[in-house]
């Protein structure tokens, strides 16, 4: 197990820290995931890759901690508006400054933990919608709704502050 901790701890911490803005909670989530991995090691199939299985444990622990700590941020009321089609209004074209990266981090913190987890798994880990839905134990349609709402909120929050 020590080899697995050395091999995956930093990667797991990065994923947990993107879901839980508090670094101590991220460390707690990773530690709890390693404990669960040890406890449930017999359910792990040796013919499959360890990281996807362990990443799922990390995400579930991070979401469990977020719920326990009451970090769920209520969704905004009302429909999510579509962002304009003007390329200059798209914040992704301006990700070259430290100020923009800081604004993106602040906007991510405003998302609910489940939306943050989906954004992290989709864009940081590069998972497909089907893989994310399987990892989170939800339907693909539910995942797509959360992903759409999260992207629209991020786009709106970033363009409002620009």
């Amino acid at each position: 197990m020590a080899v697995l901790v050395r091999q995956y701890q930093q990667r797991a911490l990065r994923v947990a820290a993107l879901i839980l803005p508090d670094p101590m909670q991220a460390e707690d989530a990773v530690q709890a995931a390693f404990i669960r991995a040890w406890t449930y090691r017999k359910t792990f199939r040796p013919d499959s890759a360890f990281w996807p299985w362990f990443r799922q444990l990390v995400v579930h622990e991070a979401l469990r901690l977020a719920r326990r700590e009451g970090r769920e941020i209520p969704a905004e009321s009302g429909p999510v508006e579509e962002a304009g089609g003007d390329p200059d209004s798209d914040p992704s074209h301006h990700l070259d400054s430290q100020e923009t990266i800081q604004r993106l981090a602040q906007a991510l913190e405003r998302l609910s933990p489940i939306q943050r987890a989906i954004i992290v798994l989709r864009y940081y880990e590069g998972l497909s919608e089907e893989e994310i839905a399987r990892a989170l134990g939800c339907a693909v349609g539910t995942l797509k709704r959360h992903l759409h709402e999260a992207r629209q909120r991020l786009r709106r929050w970033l363009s409002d502050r620009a």
Side-chain angles (χ1 to χ4, degrees):
M1 185 60 139
V3 172
L4 293 174
V5 171
R6 279 193 301 276
Q7 188 173 0
Y8 293 105
Q9 185 174 21
Q10 289 304 312
R11 190 172 181 186
L13 276 171
R14 281 191 298 271
V15 168
L18 288 167
I19 298 170
L20 296 164
D22 180 359
M24 298 303 283
Q25 282 189 319
E27 288 180 17
D28 289 346
V30 171
Q31 182 177 6
F34 274 118
I35 291 169
R36 289 191 91 175
W38 178 255
T39 304
Y40 296 109
R41 67 190 179 279
K42 292 181 180 172
T43 65
F44 175 69
R45 293 189 335 257
D47 60 328
S48 61
F50 178 77
W51 174 244
W53 180 73
F54 184 66
R55 178 183 51 223
Q56 183 174 350
L57 293 176
V58 171
V59 169
H60 282 275
E61 285 299 323
L63 292 174
R64 185 186 63 75
L65 274 176
R67 282 189 298 274
R68 189 182 80 199
E69 296 295 322
R71 289 194 167 262
E72 286 290 341
I73 299 171
E76 295 176 3
S77 59
V80 177
E81 298 173 18
E82 292 292 326
D86 179 18
D88 289 332
S89 70
D90 183 3
S92 66
H93 290 288
H94 306 287
L95 283 178
D96 53 352
S97 75
Q98 193 64 17
E99 177 187 337
T100 303
I101 293 169
Q102 182 63 29
R103 283 197 340 255
L104 178 59
Q106 291 169 346
L108 280 171
E109 287 181 17
R110 293 176 69 183
L111 294 175
S112 70
I114 189 71
Q115 288 177 333
R116 258 195 322 273
I118 291 169
I119 292 290
V120 168
L121 292 174
R122 181 71 176 111
Y123 297 105
Y124 182 75
E125 284 291 308
L127 299 183
S128 70
E129 291 171 343
E130 293 78 18
E131 291 170 319
I132 299 168
R134 194 171 33 256
L136 295 177
C138 68
V140 174
T142 302
L143 173 103
K144 286 182 177 185
R145 180 179 50 84
H146 281 300
L147 182 59
H148 175 75
E149 289 174 2
R151 285 193 301 220
Q152 294 304 317
R153 286 192 174 106
L154 287 172
R155 196 172 286 130
R156 185 174 57 247
W157 290 332
L158 290 171
S159 65
D160 285 350
R161 298 210 41 210

